[in-house]
Structures are given as structure tokens and as C-alpha cells.
Amino acid sequence: MSKYATEAIRSIALVGHGASGKTSLTEALLHATGAIPAKGSIEKGNTVCDYDPQERESGHSLSSAVVNFACENTHVHLIDTPGYPDFSGQAIAALAGVDTALIVINAQTGIELMTERMMRYASERKLCRMIVINKIDAENLDLPGLVADIRQRFGKQCMILDLPAHEGADVVEVLEHDAGDADFESVAAAHRALIDQIVEEDEDLLAQYLDDGADPSPAALHAPFEKALREGHLIPILFTSAKTGAGINALLHVLATLAPNPAEGNPPPFYKGEPGGATEAFAAVPDAARHVLAHVFKVVVDPYMGKIGIFRVHQGTVKKDMQLFVGDGKRPFKVAHLYQLQGKDTVEVDELVPGDIGAIAKVDEIEFDCVLHDSHDEDHIHLVPLDFPQPMAGLAVETKKKGDEQRLFDILGKLAMEDPTFVVERHPTSNETVIRGLGEIHLKSKLAKMAGQYKLEVDTKPPRIPYRETITTNAEAMYRHKKQSGGAGQFGEVHLRIEPRGRGEGFEFVDAVKGGVIPGVFMPAVEKGVRQALEGGVVAGYEVEDVKVTVFDGKTHPVDGKEVAFTIAGRKAVIEAIRGAKPIVLEPIVSIEIVVPEAAIGDLTGDLAGRRGHITGTDGRGHGMAAIVGEVPLAELNDYQSRLKSLTGGRGSYTIEFARYAAVPPQIQQQMASKFQLHDEDE
């Protein structure tokens, strides 16, 4: 049997901006609970979570890591996540495995880019949220100003749960205490505000509180506290110093007594059905006796253990030697070994109950975001997918050595398996293999892993920009393909109509032929030809998207009617229709956030304007830094890292995120069209 029940489990993700101290905070929690004999440090490269050689060299997390520890009769699963935007895919993925997100804020630098992003992602996932202000031992802090900023950005529901005392040497808890010394604010006032907020969740408790004026007991406050967390009506603020240990025991006490267990948090958003079809919500119940339902939120390819699937158990009990299915797979696999994780170390266990986070190795069928279950009744159950930023930064890669091409594809496949924001594209027209990620640092880390772990060196160059083509009006066209070269010939005639669809609606093919003028057996060939034309582009050689093609007439020949003839006719008919439908070239527009010294704002805004960029706002970040927010065409950012370094003396950084596609200016489209020659000769 498990050493603990589901009610005693807490699952926590530490999220927030880079350098907020999440990994150091994890070390402090592990040390305070006796899980490790001494705290490691980032500087020494000996922390439990940053165990990868790349992480030790860079001094920050590149991937999420799972640890666990015991505290006040509870068992805590904690996921330490990267904080830099380039690695946000790992942080976002971790949200699928927990009930509570601890948003860690650096007391020195305040609210930063990933603070806001992770607060938003956790809210959209309906996770319980708490804020931890770390590094309260630092000098020249403005903690009252930071708390005010938090409330302004995230709402008045952000309420103090403890306060720093004795110049940040320790903290005083305010839920159960209405008096005490604090470095700022009144303990009594913070206590009263917190109680007032909590009792509003329970009408009977509120009435009693208003009648007698006495504070409810901690036991009476537990249920409304959990309800306030679930519904986002309360986001507690805590203070810590991972370095000195201030506030660590108080944080542990909060996790053990106030953080929700799997039955108290908001239920995971499972649904039954298939994406794109009819679906219905499915309620997973954290009951150890029910059918197994577990979700894989992380995949690791280990050189010794092979593929490792890291998952959260939502229902039932996963036991060693039992059989499980992956998604709608018909063949089960045997759970030969079942693990819990402590950073890079694996601890073999016999079973995992609802709320547990565990791992299974050497199961090739396991993929990121798949559902594990023990009955075919759950074949079509999925978890609502997380909304990851679209990877836009790209590099074209090719092997330095001839003959390494297959190794390259194998290695890139493993890297993509581990990271939902790392994408590998193969472009047949340009013969390019392109890797895409969330930024330059993200891609550099993948190249370093290829060279270090897999011993594969590659050359890189800027990739083709992923332009698209579309149409702006309706048009009709027909094409007759007729070929006679002695013996049986080829004949096929296609009449079709093309119409624009809304941005992002994709391609739709409609067979509206009546009377059998094009036999049904040839219609797949027509669609094949249409798709070939759309993939190859018509104006500038880029894929045509968001169009509806309706085939409404045609002709065939009883002897010469051939699939190849209708494929060619379909391809050429749609090319002619596109040419008559006022086609345009679309370019990807990205949202950009640039953090720079305030003195460089003028130079940067001017530079962005010269890149066809549009500034939407600026925001002070403190310490002489500011953020510039805007939109810019991706095509204008090929050399931006070096330009930014030049303009800011190396102190600037930026992140991009896909925003939308927009029409390129007419003069640029003309230049692109003049360089493209469509090869549409008969095949």
C-alpha cells in the first residue's frame, strides 16, 4: 500500500521569471524537510533540479524537474520550472500536473514578463494560485511598493498571508495572528482584511462573523479558504528568502495546511471524444479504487533509460506489473518499473495513487499529452490541451558530414519529443530542415545538446520566412488535360470555383458535381491536384491557405479518362482560379517585448520603426530598465539580436510570440512575385 492517501498529497509548480530564485527555493524546501542533507547552490552547480551539464554551465534552468518531500503529514510533489521566456514551454506544460501554481517574484526586480505570463496561464487553467516574494534579504527593497504593484496588476484579491519581520530575518503569519511586529503594514490590518475576504465565501460563516465579531476557528476557515483559492477570489502573498531560510517553514506550513489536495482543487479539464468531433466533459474522480486515468505532461529521452514518460495520476491506482493502454492504442504495455523522481534520481515504488506524480520508462508508445488508462472504456478521453506559444524563431540546419542526415532527423525527433515548443520542419521545395523555437537562446540550447550529448555538429543559416498565400475574392476556372501519344491517351476536364475563407479556417474541398460528369472514382485525384497546387504556391511559391475549392462540373472519356489526367486538370484549374481571385502574400507578424536601458528607448523605437514595426506601449521595469511592446514582421528580425546588442551595449533582451498573419506591402509582394517562376508543365 502507498505510505499516504490522496488527501495528504499536494502538487505544486514553482513558476515565474528567471532569476527569481525558484531552484534555490526548491533547495531550501528540500533541506528544511530533511529530503537533502545540505542546500546546493546555483553557483556551485550542485542543486537537485539543475542537474543537466548545460544548466550548470548556464546558471539557470532549461527544463522542468520534479522533486518530492514530506511535510506535516503531507506528501508534496513539487515541479521546479525554467523562468526565461525561451523555455516557457516547460513551465506551461508543468501546469497540467499540479493543483497549485506558486508564482515566485524576485523582491529586487518585481513583476517581470514571465510573472505576468505564468499568472495568466495558471488562471486560464483554473489552478489555485499563490505568490511568493523571494529574496527579502536583499538590500534597498521597496516591498510595500511591490505589494501595491502586485495588487494593481493582478487584483485586490492578492492578499498578504504573512509579513516580513526584523528586517527580513523572519516572517509573521497573519491568518491566525492579529498582532505582532512587521517590517511594513499592520499585522492586525492584514489579519482583518484576510478574514473578511475568506468569510465572504460562506454565507452562514459570514452571518456568524458579523453577529458575534469573533474570528472563526482555523477549522471553520479551511473550506471557504479553499473555495476562495479555487474561484480566484484569493491569491495569498507570502515572503521568503531561500538564501537565509526566512519564511521557508511558514511556506511549508501553508503548503501542508492550506494548499488544496487533489479533491479540493479545481478538477482537471478532461473530455470524452476526439478533437474536431463531438465531445463531452468527463469528470475524473480522485478515487484510488476506480479505473486508472493518468496524463503525461513531460517526456524525457534518457541515454540509459530510454524514453521516460512523467505523468500525474488523476484517478485509480497505478501499480507495478499492471497493464496500461496509451490513448486509443489496442495493445497494452506492462508497467515493469514504476518511479518517483527526485531531480535526476529515480526511486522505484510499488504504486501511485490519485494526485501522485510518477514516471514510466522504456515505453515507446508514450507521447507528450497522452492519457494512460487500464480499460478500453477510457480510450477516447483526453485532457484539454494547454495553449503553448507558437515557436517562431528559426534556423535552417544541415549536417557538417555527409551521411549524417538520418542521425540528424533521429536526434531532432528526440528533441522535439521532449519539448512542445520545439518544432522540426522539412521544406521539400527549398530542401531545408528548419528547427523552430521560442527564441535564439532556446535554439542555441538545442544545438548545444546535439553537440554535447549526441556528438553531432551542424551548420546553420537563417531559414526561409514562413510566408503564406491566400485570395481576396471569388473566381472560377476550368482546365482540360488532353494528351495523345499513340495508344491509350489521357483526358480529364475540371471546372471549379475558389472562395476565400476566414483567417485560420484552413482548406475546404467540396464535390458539387452532378450527373456523374466526373466519376466519383476520379474525385480524389482532382483533390490531390488541387492540394499540390496549394502546397506549391502560385504568387511567390508559398503555401496557399484559407480557401474553399468547389468542383462543380467537368468531363471525362470512357477510354482515356485517367487519374493522372484529373490530377493535372485539378492542379492547373485551381492555379488559374487563384490567379483570378486577387491573390496576396501573407507574412507572419510577431508580438515583441524588448527590455532595454531607459536611455536606449529612443534608439530602439526608431530602429523598430525602420523595420516596419509598430510600438503599442512602453513600461518601466525599475532599476533603470524599461520594456517596449509592439508588433513587427518576422522577416525584419533576422539580425535583430546583434543589432539590439549594439544599441544597448549588450544589456537588452527580447522575446517574440506569434500574433497573426498580415498582407505584405504591395511593393514587397511584387518583388517576391518577380523572383518566383511557377513550374506547372504537364507531368
Side-chain angles (χ1 to χ4, degrees):
M1 294 292 292
S2 175
K3 296 178 182 178
Y4 45 83
T6 292
E7 292 72 22
I9 293 175
R10 310 288 184 266
S11 57
I12 313 291
L14 291 184
V15 298
H17 201 79
S20 58
K22 298 182 297 298
T23 300
S24 297
L25 194 59
T26 303
E27 290 291 309
L29 295 170
L30 290 171
H31 177 56
T33 55
I36 57 175
K39 290 191 294 184
S41 71
I42 302 294
E43 295 75 19
K44 293 180 180 178
N46 61 348
T47 63
V48 174
C49 292
D50 285 357
Y51 54 83
D52 184 271
Q54 271 188 269
E55 292 177 314
R56 292 173 177 170
E57 182 179 344
S58 63
H60 61 82
S61 301
L62 303 176
S63 181
S64 61
V66 180
V67 298
N68 61 91
F69 52 83
C71 171
E72 295 185 34
N73 298 315
T74 64
H75 188 88
V76 179
H77 295 283
L78 186 143
I79 308 177
D80 177 31
T81 69
Y84 289 102
D86 281 30
F87 306 100
S88 60
Q90 292 283 320
I92 296 168
L95 298 180
V98 300
D99 298 309
T100 303
L102 285 190
I103 294 90
V104 184
I105 298 177
N106 185 337
Q108 295 173 290
T109 55
I111 296 172
E112 299 176 89
L113 174 63
M114 285 295 287
T115 315
E116 294 185 304
R117 282 190 183 177
M118 295 314 298
M119 181 68 85
R120 184 180 76 247
Y121 277 114
S123 173
E124 291 171 351
R125 201 65 179 181
K126 299 189 183 304
L127 296 180
C128 298
R129 291 166 289 161
M130 300 183 184
I131 293 172
V132 176
I133 298 176
N134 192 30
K135 302 188 180 183
I136 61 171
D137 58 302
E139 297 180 354
N140 302 319
L141 300 180
D142 179 13
L143 295 179
L146 177 53
V147 171
D149 193 20
I150 288 171
R151 287 171 173 161
Q152 182 181 359
R153 301 274 191 106
F154 305 129
K156 294 180 180 179
Q157 66 270 32
C158 298
M159 308 201 71
I160 289 170
L161 198 55
D162 62 34
L163 280 164
H166 309 113
E167 298 183 350
D170 54 22
V171 301
V172 55
E173 192 272 340
V174 303
L175 180 61
E176 298 181 27
H177 299 86
D178 60 1
D181 296 326
D183 292 343
F184 70 95
E185 287 206 23
S186 159
V187 172
H191 170 82
R192 186 61 47 220
L194 186 60
I195 296 294
D196 289 348
Q197 184 81 356
I198 296 170
V199 297
E200 287 184 1
E201 301 295 326
D202 187 314
E203 291 184 4
D204 294 337
L205 190 64
L206 176 60
Q208 179 185 338
Y209 175 63
L210 293 175
D211 285 344
D212 58 30
D215 288 347
S217 68
L221 287 171
H222 183 85
F225 187 97
E226 297 295 340
K227 182 182 178 185
L229 279 179
R230 283 195 303 273
E231 298 186 359
H233 297 164
L234 174 62
I235 303 174
I237 302 174
L238 300 105
F239 295 84
T240 63
S241 168
K243 182 179 179 181
T244 68
I248 296 301
N249 287 328
L251 175 57
L252 286 168
H253 181 68
V254 168
L255 297 183
T257 60
L258 296 176
N261 66 44
E264 293 171 325
N266 285 317
F270 280 103
Y271 68 91
K272 192 166 187 175
E274 291 302 322
T279 63
E280 59 180 300
F282 179 87
V285 181
D287 183 344
R290 295 205 178 198
H291 280 312
V292 168
L293 204 63
H295 174 258
V296 176
F297 63 87
K298 181 177 173 67
V299 170
V300 177
V301 180
D302 184 87
Y304 304 105
M305 297 182 66
K307 186 191 287 188
I308 301 173
I310 302 171
F311 59 90
R312 158 82 178 264
V313 182
H314 290 279
Q315 179 178 287
T317 302
V318 179
K319 298 180 180 181
K320 183 180 177 181
D321 294 329
M322 77 182 305
Q323 290 190 327
L324 292 177
F325 297 94
V326 180
D328 60 359
K330 303 306 176 189
R331 296 178 58 187
F333 70 89
K334 181 181 178 182
V335 181
H337 300 279
L338 193 59
Y339 303 102
Q340 284 190 337
L341 301 174
Q342 196 75 327
K344 68 176 179 179
D345 296 327
T346 55
V347 179
E348 197 154 356
V349 295
D350 291 329
E351 66 177 35
L352 297 170
V353 298
D356 267 332
I357 292 176
I360 297 173
K362 298 180 180 178
V363 180
D364 290 339
E365 294 84 0
I366 283 183
E367 295 179 349
F368 173 77
D369 206 31
C370 71
V371 170
L372 308 178
H373 55 95
D374 62 350
S375 164
H376 283 303
D377 292 343
E378 287 81 39
D379 278 354
H380 301 288
I381 292 176
H382 307 272
L383 196 64
V384 172
L386 293 152
D387 185 17
F388 291 97
Q390 185 171 338
M392 296 303 298
L395 282 174
V397 297
E398 59 183 21
T399 58
K400 287 182 178 290
K401 290 170 55 179
K402 291 278 187 183
D404 275 348
E405 289 79 11
Q406 189 57 50
R407 277 194 69 217
L408 172 65
F409 297 138
D410 291 345
I411 292 167
L412 290 178
K414 292 177 180 178
L415 296 179
M417 203 182 297
E418 296 179 313
D419 189 340
T421 56
F422 178 73
V423 175
V424 182
E425 301 172 353
R426 180 66 182 165
H427 298 281
T429 53
S430 62
N431 202 30
E432 282 186 337
T433 299
V434 176
I435 57 173
R436 294 199 181 276
L438 299 182
E440 182 181 4
I441 300 173
H442 190 197
L443 295 180
K444 281 185 175 179
S445 75
K446 300 301 182 186
L447 297 175
K449 188 168 185 176
M450 290 168 65
Q453 180 175 327
Y454 294 104
K455 312 300 179 187
L456 180 67
E457 299 282 349
V458 296
D459 291 320
T460 65
K461 62 181 180 180
R464 293 181 81 197
I465 299 297
Y467 292 102
R468 295 289 185 266
E469 299 177 17
T470 193
I471 58 172
T472 57
T473 189
N474 298 354
E476 292 185 3
M478 62 80 66
Y479 189 84
R480 175 185 294 172
H481 175 72
K482 184 177 181 181
K483 188 174 183 180
Q484 198 77 36
S485 56
Q490 299 175 2
F491 184 91
E493 183 176 314
V494 172
H495 297 241
L496 53 76
R497 179 185 311 110
I498 191 165
E499 305 166 60
R501 303 188 75 199
R503 193 76 73 238
E505 292 185 5
F507 167 62
E508 181 183 1
F509 182 83
V510 178
D511 175 6
V513 170
K514 297 179 180 179
V517 291
I518 299 179
V521 69
F522 292 138
M523 195 54 67
V526 176
E527 182 176 356
K528 177 183 176 182
V530 168
R531 289 182 178 274
Q532 285 177 353
L534 299 184
E535 289 170 4
V538 175
V539 178
Y542 298 96
E543 184 177 352
V544 183
E545 63 177 20
D546 300 331
V547 296
K548 177 181 179 181
V549 175
T550 303
V551 179
F552 60 86
D553 201 359
K555 290 181 182 178
T556 188
H557 187 277
V559 177
D560 294 344
K562 301 280 195 315
E563 284 189 9
V564 64
F566 281 99
T567 298
I568 293 171
R571 177 167 60 84
K572 294 196 173 184
V574 83
I575 288 172
E576 290 304 314
I578 289 171
R579 286 171 171 162
K582 297 182 180 178
I584 58 172
V585 178
L586 303 172
E587 64 179 340
I589 306 296
V590 296
S591 300
I592 187 167
E593 180 164 346
I594 317 162
V595 178
V596 299
E598 290 178 343
I601 288 179
D603 291 339
L604 264 296
T605 54
D607 185 72
L608 274 182
R611 295 171 184 268
R612 298 189 286 126
H614 172 65
I615 306 298
T616 57
T618 58
D619 180 24
R621 287 297 168 87
H623 303 278
M625 302 296 284
I628 302 170
V629 180
E631 290 188 341
V632 64
L634 180 64
E636 301 288 346
L637 294 178
N638 268 345
D639 63 340
Y640 196 64
Q641 185 66 40
S642 58
R643 180 62 175 161
L644 182 63
K645 183 177 180 180
S646 171
L647 290 174
T648 64
R651 296 180 62 199
S653 62
Y654 76 99
T655 59
I656 60 173
E657 191 170 319
F658 175 75
R660 57 195 169 84
Y661 270 94
V664 303
Q667 65 272 24
I668 295 180
Q669 176 164 321
Q670 290 174 6
Q671 294 170 6
M672 298 172 72
S674 67
K675 297 176 182 177
F676 175 67
Q677 184 175 357
L678 182 64
H679 298 285
D680 62 349
E681 67 275 359
D682 290 356
E683 296 176 358

